[in-house]
């Protein structure tokens, strides 16, 4: 059973999401919060597998609430609920440790899938909008030399895998790109996260761009071209 906390200051949105998720046989909503402070308090008391976190909430916004939840309840994965006009906030939340984000007007099936994906330990990076968001904001920054030095612990193959993670590819996609078994990819991903002390793939993507391993826009185009050539 996947336990979920829903935090949103709009009662109709909060209640609608909670009702939808509670109707699933494998999901239990363990709390509903109307503001950031309540969200942090409930997360600490209920320790949910997944917290759906709105950005704009009273008393404490979703960004600071995400930081506090990630720091105090490390087993909880945070998914940011947002509208597309606050991308900058979403990127900041990913840096704070959120495992991804979901647009509030996404189809109900996407919300259910998002909870299951994140609870399984993956990051919610499949939508191309996530890659565009990260590329947009990392392209405004200079390379962080300290982050670049962190990558020295990775092998050449692990660097290849990290590049493809940054392109938003799934384990199956990466296996096809590198012509290796999917189980091998899973092993590489685990070692990458362990060596770099990262929570999940979302933080790996941010690090790949901030370290300069991947240049905004360039690698995605190269990866797509490579996939077309293979097909």
């Amino acid at each position: 059973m996947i336990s979920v906390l829903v935090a949103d200051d709009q009662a109709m949105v909060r209640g609608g999401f909670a009702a939808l998720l509670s109707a699933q046989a494998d999901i239990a909503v363990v709390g509903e919060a109307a503001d950031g402070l309540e969200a942090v308090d409930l997360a600490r008391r209920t320790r949910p597998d997944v917290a759906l976190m709105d950005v704009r909430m009273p008393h404490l916004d979703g960004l600071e609430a995400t930081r506090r939840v990630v720091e105090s309840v490390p087993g909880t994965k945070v998914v940011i609920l947002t509208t597309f006009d606050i991308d900058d906030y979403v990127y900041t939340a990913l840096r704070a440790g959120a495992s991804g984000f979901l647009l509030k007007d996404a189809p109900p099936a996407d919300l259910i899938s998002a909870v299951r994906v994140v609870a399984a330990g993956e990051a919610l990076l499949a939508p191309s909008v996530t890659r565009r968001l990260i590329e947009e904001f990392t392209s405004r920054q200079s390379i962080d030399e300290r982050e670049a030095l962190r990558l020295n612990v990775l092998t050449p193959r692990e660097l290849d895998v990290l590049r493809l993670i940054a392109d938003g590819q799934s384990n199956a996609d990466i296996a096809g790109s590198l012509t290796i078994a999917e189980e091998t990819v899973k092993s590489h991903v685990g070692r990458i996260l362990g060596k770099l002390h990262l929570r999940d793939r979302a933080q790996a993507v941010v690090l790949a761009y901030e370290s300069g391993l991947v240049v905004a826009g360039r690698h995605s185009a190269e990866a797509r071209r490579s996939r077309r050539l293979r097909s």
Side-chain angles (χ1 to χ4, degrees):
M1 185 69 71
I2 302 169
S3 57
V4 179
L5 167 67
V6 181
D8 194 295
D9 65 334
Q10 298 181 48
M12 291 185 64
V13 172
R14 186 173 67 251
F17 284 174
L20 175 65
L21 294 171
S22 295
Q24 309 308 306
D26 59 335
I27 299 175
V29 175
V30 296
E32 297 180 41
D35 62 65
L37 286 176
E38 186 180 11
V40 174
D41 178 61
L42 280 175
R44 289 171 174 167
R45 287 194 285 115
T46 64
R47 310 188 77 81
D49 297 311
V50 179
L52 301 178
M53 189 82 68
D54 187 22
V55 173
R56 292 175 173 170
M57 293 188 292
H59 308 306
L60 187 72
D61 65 41
L63 302 180
E64 181 58 29
T66 294
R67 291 190 188 93
R68 295 186 188 185
V69 169
V70 168
E71 290 176 359
S72 61
V73 195
T76 297
K77 302 298 179 66
V78 179
V79 174
I80 298 298
L81 298 171
T82 184
T83 52
F84 197 59
D85 63 341
I86 50 176
D87 287 348
D88 199 4
Y89 297 148
V90 177
Y91 176 66
T92 301
L94 289 176
R95 294 191 68 194
S99 294
F101 82 101
L102 188 71
L103 300 181
K104 284 188 176 182
D105 59 359
D110 286 1
L111 174 65
I112 297 168
S113 175
V115 168
R116 291 173 176 154
V117 166
V118 172
E122 297 291 334
L124 198 61
L125 296 174
S128 60
V129 66
T130 303
R131 295 196 299 274
R132 292 202 305 271
L133 180 154
I134 293 173
E135 290 183 358
E136 169 70 15
F137 289 96
T138 54
S139 67
R140 301 178 185 178
Q141 303 175 2
S142 59
I143 293 175
D144 188 325
E145 296 297 339
R146 290 173 300 178
E147 298 290 58
L149 289 173
R150 290 176 64 187
L151 300 185
N152 289 341
V153 300
L154 302 183
T155 67
R157 177 58 89 187
E158 288 166 350
L159 289 172
D160 289 339
V161 171
L162 180 54
R163 290 187 185 95
L164 295 175
I165 290 174
D167 188 49
Q169 292 194 33
S170 66
N171 287 347
D173 292 333
I174 294 172
S177 296
L178 300 179
T179 320
I180 57 178
E182 189 171 344
E183 284 301 317
T184 303
V185 174
K186 291 180 181 179
S187 296
H188 284 311
V189 173
R191 284 195 292 271
I192 289 168
L193 299 182
K195 286 181 177 181
L196 298 175
H197 306 291
L198 301 173
R199 282 170 56 90
D200 55 29
R201 295 165 82 108
Q203 287 195 318
V205 171
V206 173
L207 176 59
Y209 282 104
E210 292 188 336
S211 66
L213 178 68
V214 175
V215 177
R218 187 179 70 190
H219 179 67
S220 295
E222 290 173 349
R224 287 192 294 271
R225 182 165 57 252
S226 174
R227 288 195 288 270
R228 287 197 298 270
L229 289 173
R230 288 198 310 275
S231 60

